[in-house]
């Protein structure tokens, strides 16, 4: 039997009557479905609920998530799980911000991670472990990498309070010294950067700012404050880094890859840099409804609305209007941000058959009555290529595709062994070509320097759309794309996307 998740009328909140009416409507339709057919929460032929399902898949997707949801937080970003995090936190240097203590960068140990607790409005999702911190690796104050941690999502009462483990990090999980956080590796292009790793324990993709109507195990209302958490990290960063940076890279993996796009304009508005780049690792924004990359239905629009993202100020203009109308697609955000900063390289890293992106797609499709509930690797790769073709219309977008199903590279040791041939491609002696450029080397071209360029890479036979089959090929429409250094100030926004 299925629990209904967010079905009772919520307590008063800033979303007011509209949210209460929506919850009441979901409950009424869901009960009709339960009475009509055991094990289902809707009638497939119900026009009203069918439309609701298309607009509000996050309220109905719990059946599929029961199978894969618990894997999200554990496999989302390759940085370990919460079971091991306690010991890591206890052994790690920490500092708490206060009126008397500013935790200055100059006072941190070079290359050693420090957890900085900002206090204020920051917190993790549960009241049992609310304390939030971001992680800093001290390096050159003129070079900065801001990286948003993955860690899954918790979107309603069921996903937050019933699934165990929860499909999101609910407490701090420090990043070990591996991948682009490995300060001892000469192959790490960010070895000497100061790195601010924005922890994700709010389950809201770093963009939420809301109090839910349901309570946690201690009886306190669940709060998702990813926006406040990231904002506190940004406030500390701008107070401690040089006023004009040489290099600025904004990145993230999985849920953090989405956050990097949402937060890039805010970061670029507060931190000026000679060279800048955005690195999105293992989440391109392939969701049911925009599968043809032509704007279709937005299955993620309701999710962002319910997280409170519309009220944070991260979205402006037509993006804000779409968020308020629950029609905002992640791809729309990617497009607008790339157009705002044409002198910044936006680099996407994805596996051709990323297992987690496929699993998330299936879950949303199954319960929102959209095609794709049984999406296979070949179909996902088609959807991914179509979306990348959309992004590729922006002159500042480049892509690195890896054969296989790996999810997240930047936070794991695979960052050094992967090339376009696979996650351990650099260990292979066969099939050497331009596509065998190691991923770490390719990422090392970011941000692009004078006289240099970064080029899209993929390993396989170049095929036009009508000939696509399997995942061994590469989209001919993406081949040969390169972004060259621009003399224009990279973090100055263009009016073209206003």
């Amino acid at each position: 039997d299925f629990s209904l998740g967010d079905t009772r009328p919520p307590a008063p909140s800033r979303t007011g009557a509209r949210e209460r009416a929506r919850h009441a409507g979901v409950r009424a339709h869901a009960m009709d479905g339960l009475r009509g057919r055991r094990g289902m929460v809707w009638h497939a032929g119900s026009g009203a609920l069918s439309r609701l399902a298309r607009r509000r898949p996050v309220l109905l997707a719990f059946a599929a998530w029961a199978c894969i949801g618990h894997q999200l937080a554990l496999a989302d970003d390759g940085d370990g799980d919460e079971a091991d995090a306690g010991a890591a936190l206890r052994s790690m240097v920490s500092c708490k911000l206060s009126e008397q203590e500013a935790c200055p960068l100059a006072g941190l140990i070079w290359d050693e991670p420090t957890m900085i607790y900002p206090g204020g409005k920051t917190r993790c999702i549960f009241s049992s472990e609310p304390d939030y911190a971001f992680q800093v690796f001290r390096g050159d104050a003129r070079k900065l990498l801001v990286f948003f941690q993955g860690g899954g999502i918790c979107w309603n009462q069921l996903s937050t309070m019933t699934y165990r483990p929860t499909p999101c990090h609910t407490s701090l999980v420090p990043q070990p010294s591996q991948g682009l956080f490995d300060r001892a590796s000469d192959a790490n292009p960010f070895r000497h950067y100061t790195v601010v790793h924005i922890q994700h324990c709010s389950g809201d993709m770093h963009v939420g700012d809301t109090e839910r109507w349901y309570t946690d195990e201690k009886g306190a209302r669940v709060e998702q404050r990813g926006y406040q958490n990231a904002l506190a990290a940004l406030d500390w960063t701008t107070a401690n880094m040089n006023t004009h940076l040489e290099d600025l890279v904004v990145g993230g993996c999985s849920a953090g890859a989405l956050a990097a796009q949402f937060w890039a304009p805010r970061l670029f508005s507060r931190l000026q840099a000679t060279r800048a780049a955005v690195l999105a690792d293992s989440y391109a924004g392939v969701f049911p409804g925009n599968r043809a990359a032509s704007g279709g239905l937005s299955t993620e629009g309701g999710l962002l609305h319910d997280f409170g993202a519309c009220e944070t100020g991260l979205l402006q203009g037509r993006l804000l209007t779409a968020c308020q109308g629950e029609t905002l697609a992640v791809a729309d955000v990617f497009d607008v941000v790339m157009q705002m900063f044409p002198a910044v390289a936006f680099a996407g890293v994805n596996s051709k058959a990323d297992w987690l992106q496929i699993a998330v797609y299936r879950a949303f499709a199954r319960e929102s009555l959209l095609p794709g509930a049984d999406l296979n690797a070949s179909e996902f790769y088609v959807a991914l290529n179509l979306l990348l073709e959309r992004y590729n219309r922006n002159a500042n977008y480049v892509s690195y595709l890896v054969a296989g199903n790996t999810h997240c590279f930047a936070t794991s040791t695979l960052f050094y062994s992967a090339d376009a041939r696979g996650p351990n491609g650099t260990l292979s002696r066969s099939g050497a070509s331009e596509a065998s450029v190691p991923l770490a080397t390719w990422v090392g071209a970011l941000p692009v320097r004078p006289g240099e360029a970064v080029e899209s890479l993929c390993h396989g036979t170049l095929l036009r759309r009508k000939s696509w089959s399997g995942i061994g090929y590469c989209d001919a429409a993406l081949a040969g794309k390169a972004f060259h250094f621009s003399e224009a100030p990279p973090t100055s926004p263009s009016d073209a996307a206003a």
Side-chain angles (χ1 to χ4, degrees):
D1 293 336
F2 294 128
S3 174
L4 294 176
D6 295 2
T7 56
R8 72 179 185 182
S13 69
R14 60 186 162 198
T15 50
R18 181 183 181 189
E19 183 178 0
R20 291 194 295 273
R22 182 169 69 235
H23 281 284
V26 171
R27 178 175 183 140
H29 285 298
M31 287 301 164
D32 287 343
L34 282 172
R35 285 192 290 269
R37 182 179 176 186
R38 180 177 176 82
M40 300 296 287
V41 297
W42 39 261
H43 288 302
S46 170
L49 189 55
S50 178
R51 289 192 297 273
L52 177 64
R54 282 179 165 81
R55 296 189 65 233
R56 309 295 302 151
V58 292
L59 295 176
L60 303 173
F62 53 82
W65 283 96
C67 300
I68 62 109
H70 71 280
Q71 301 175 61
L72 281 169
L74 304 183
D76 194 28
D77 52 12
D79 60 0
D81 60 46
E82 292 171 285
D84 303 321
L89 279 172
R90 287 189 293 272
S91 65
M92 193 170 292
V93 177
S94 65
C95 184
K96 292 186 178 182
L97 289 175
S98 67
E99 292 183 0
Q100 294 75 36
E101 178 57 72
C103 303
L105 179 66
L108 305 186
I109 302 172
W110 197 277
D111 283 341
E112 289 296 322
T114 299
M115 300 297 288
I116 296 181
Y117 292 80
K121 297 180 180 180
T122 69
R123 59 164 289 163
C124 294
I125 192 170
F126 290 151
S127 61
S128 56
E129 296 182 84
D131 291 345
Y132 177 79
F134 54 93
Q135 192 174 10
V136 178
F137 296 75
R138 181 189 172 190
D140 191 332
R142 299 166 301 174
K143 299 177 182 289
L144 174 65
L145 168 64
V146 177
F147 198 88
F148 291 86
Q149 186 180 44
I153 57 173
C154 289
W155 64 95
N156 63 5
Q157 185 188 31
L158 185 75
S159 61
T160 306
M161 297 308 305
T162 301
Y163 295 157
R164 291 295 179 268
T166 55
C168 70
H169 287 170
T170 61
S171 59
L172 300 173
V173 181
Q175 168 66 38
S177 297
Q178 62 187 32
L180 53 75
F181 298 89
D182 186 348
R183 311 294 278 187
S185 174
D186 291 334
N188 183 0
F190 306 113
R191 178 183 177 185
H192 300 299
Y193 280 52
T194 289
V195 179
V196 177
H197 186 227
I198 301 181
Q199 293 274 301
H200 187 213
C201 59
S202 51
D204 56 9
M205 304 188 301
H206 301 275
V207 300
D209 194 12
T210 190
E211 181 181 88
R212 299 293 200 170
W213 62 264
Y214 43 89
T215 59
D216 62 22
E217 293 177 350
K218 295 185 69 175
R221 294 273 284 272
V222 168
E223 295 187 41
Q224 294 183 279
R225 304 295 183 187
Y227 169 79
Q228 297 292 343
N229 299 342
L231 181 62
L234 178 55
D235 287 342
W236 179 91
T237 301
T238 54
N240 282 274
M241 297 299 293
N242 284 16
T243 55
H244 189 98
L245 302 170
E246 290 183 5
D247 294 337
L248 170 59
V249 178
V250 181
C253 99
S254 197
L258 304 181
Q261 306 284 345
F262 279 81
W263 277 93
R266 183 74 64 89
L267 282 155
F268 292 156
S269 72
R270 296 180 63 175
L271 295 166
Q272 300 301 304
T274 301
R275 296 173 293 272
V278 175
L279 175 64
D281 178 11
S282 298
Y283 227 100
V286 178
F287 287 93
N290 63 355
R291 184 174 177 182
S294 59
L297 295 171
S298 169
T299 56
E300 59 268 39
L303 182 74
L304 294 166
H305 178 275
D306 288 354
F307 282 152
C310 313
E311 302 172 29
T312 60
L314 290 174
L315 301 168
Q316 303 292 330
R318 64 179 185 269
L319 293 182
L320 176 59
T321 300
C323 184
Q324 292 168 336
E326 303 180 42
T327 61
L328 181 64
V330 165
D332 298 333
V333 178
F334 282 27
D335 261 342
V336 169
V337 176
M338 282 188 278
Q339 292 158 18
M340 287 177 65
F341 300 97
V344 173
F346 285 75
V349 176
N350 291 280
S351 288
K352 292 182 176 181
D354 185 319
W355 74 267
L356 188 61
Q357 292 193 61
I358 292 173
V360 171
Y361 189 106
R362 288 172 175 171
F364 278 104
R366 182 174 292 114
E367 297 305 326
S368 57
L369 304 180
L370 289 169
D374 56 351
L375 185 82
N376 60 35
S378 178
E379 292 168 336
F380 169 78
Y381 188 40
V382 168
L384 177 63
N385 277 326
L386 292 173
L387 190 58
L388 297 188
E389 285 186 11
R390 171 179 171 172
Y391 296 157
N392 205 48
R393 293 197 291 264
N394 298 288
N396 53 337
Y397 181 78
V398 287
S399 169
Y400 192 104
L401 287 171
V402 182
N405 65 357
T406 301
H407 184 71
C408 283
F409 295 91
T411 54
S412 80
T413 56
L414 295 178
F415 181 67
Y416 300 104
S417 62
D419 66 20
R421 295 170 294 176
N424 292 302
T426 62
L427 307 180
S428 173
R429 297 184 179 181
S430 62
S433 66
E434 69 280 357
S436 60
V437 173
L439 174 60
T441 302
W442 187 82
V443 171
L446 303 172
V448 178
R449 294 160 182 81
E452 298 181 0
V454 59
E455 182 177 349
S456 293
L457 286 181
C458 176
H459 180 65
T461 302
L462 296 180
L463 296 178
R464 295 294 177 184
R465 189 179 301 182
K466 64 180 180 180
S467 302
W468 291 352
S469 178
I471 63 171
Y473 66 93
C474 295
D475 182 358
L478 302 176
K481 176 70 174 295
F483 175 81
H484 296 266
F485 175 77
S486 171
E487 295 289 349
T491 54
S492 296
S494 167
D495 294 332

